[in-house]
Amino acid sequence: MSGTDTHDDAVISRQVRRLESLLEEKGIVGGDTVDEVIDGFLAGASPVNGAKVTARAWTDPAYRERLLADGTAAVGELGFSSGGVQKQRLRVVENTAGTHNIIVCTLCSCYPLRLLGPSPGWYKSEAYRSRVVRDPRGVLADFGVTLPESVDITVWDSSAETRYMVLPRRPAGTDDLSEEELAGLVTRNGLIGTAVL
Amino acid sequence: MTDESARTGRFAPGAHVRTYLHDPPHHTRLPRYARGKRGVVVEPEGPAPLADVRAQGRDDAPVEMIYAVRFTARDLWGEGDHHVVLDLSESYLKEAE
């Protein structure tokens, strides 16, 4: 695995463009319809949302408890949902001193889009999807992350209706930071579980 | 399955289950690597129409409880010290022997 954002999507891109032009030629969709749907789909979808949820959980213990008990409702308190076109159940899984969580979708590329934005290319790659369920420590090493042997790693394979987000550990030495400053420390990979903050 | 059992589910958290070993000729959400494996139910996640039937374009998909099921890497791959959690429909699961 390259660990970068590159992946070869030329073939599928050509197929999609051809399908789109056929639909327009036959008058099934208007010229702007597809762009409008995609813009609506992605509107407001960003890892900034997941970062805000994380910073709130770090600074408000009662919110953290609600987030871990019912992720869907707790992100809803901040005005977020997890799904794309459909609303989906969200489960937030918390990293601790003894446990580390990583998310994947081995069947396709399910992802909490509203909270994390469009997924990176490597998340959809066969290399990541097939390897992380078998050798998560090896995949983490590719991302420059080495965890102690004593840390139990759980890989959450989004194979049905639920979407997962990792609640990263709060970095040490951040007691004096505001909620907004803390949110600035949270990365997309931290929310996937392929980084430690 | 009745509507009532779809709501409450057949398996409780902590139940020991085994996934079926079938290889259906249609779409399924039971990944190949987790077929015929034993695991432990983490929690029921709520009912949903069975994707295997829905993906065939049929509108008679049964509504089944979906469970988060935890597997050890050793049971899945014969090695490793991590865990994998999958979301699996009730009909993919049977009670572990």
Side-chain angles (χ1 to χ4, degrees), chain A residues 118-197:
Chain A
S119 59
W122 57 258
Y123 184 85
K124 295 171 276 200
S125 72
E126 202 169 316
Y128 176 74
R129 288 157 49 214
S130 59
R131 194 163 158 234
V132 75
V133 286
R134 177 151 197 157
D135 179 21
R137 285 186 193 274
V139 170
L140 286 173
D142 285 351
F143 281 91
V145 177
T146 307
L147 297 171
E149 285 291 313
S150 60
V151 174
D152 179 46
I153 297 176
T154 297
V155 182
W156 299 80
D157 185 353
S158 329
S159 48
E161 316 302 321
T162 299
R163 297 293 169 268
Y164 294 92
M165 187 188 90
V166 173
L167 177 60
R169 295 180 71 194
R170 180 172 173 165
T174 57
D175 289 357
D176 297 335
L177 297 190
S178 69
E179 188 177 326
E180 198 179 340
E181 288 169 325
L182 287 167
L185 301 177
V186 180
T187 63
R188 180 186 64 191
N189 284 13
L191 300 169
I192 298 173
T194 49
V196 171
L197 305 181

Side-chain angles (χ1 to χ4, degrees), chain B residues 22-96:
Chain B
H22 57 193
D23 187 16
H26 51 70
H27 173 78
T28 183
R29 300 277 180 88
L30 175 57
R32 200 169 290 273
Y33 75 86
R35 293 181 191 166
K37 306 294 185 183
R38 58 182 183 158
V40 177
V41 170
V42 179
E43 61 179 4
E45 304 193 300
L50 185 63
D52 302 49
V53 176
R54 206 175 39 169
Q56 297 175 55
R58 287 161 50 185
D59 57 10
D60 61 340
V63 173
E64 291 188 5
M65 181 60 77
I66 294 176
Y67 300 89
V69 182
R70 186 175 172 88
F71 300 86
T72 67
R74 193 161 291 277
D75 281 337
L76 292 178
W77 312 109
E79 60 181 9
D81 59 2
H82 62 282
H83 292 86
V84 177
V85 177
L86 281 154
D87 303 323
L88 301 174
S89 293
E90 188 160 290
S91 60
Y92 300 165
L93 306 172
K94 55 186 170 181
E95 278 158 32

Side-chain angles (χ1 to χ4, degrees), chain A residues 38 40-47 49-50 81-85 88 90 109-119 163-164:
Chain A
I38 291 173
F41 183 65
L42 294 177
S46 164
N49 301 341
S81 67
S82 68
V85 174
Q88 278 146 340
L90 178 74
S109 56
C110 298
Y111 191 74
L113 182 122
R114 290 270 162 198
L115 293 166
L116 270 66
S119 59
R163 297 293 169 268
Y164 294 92

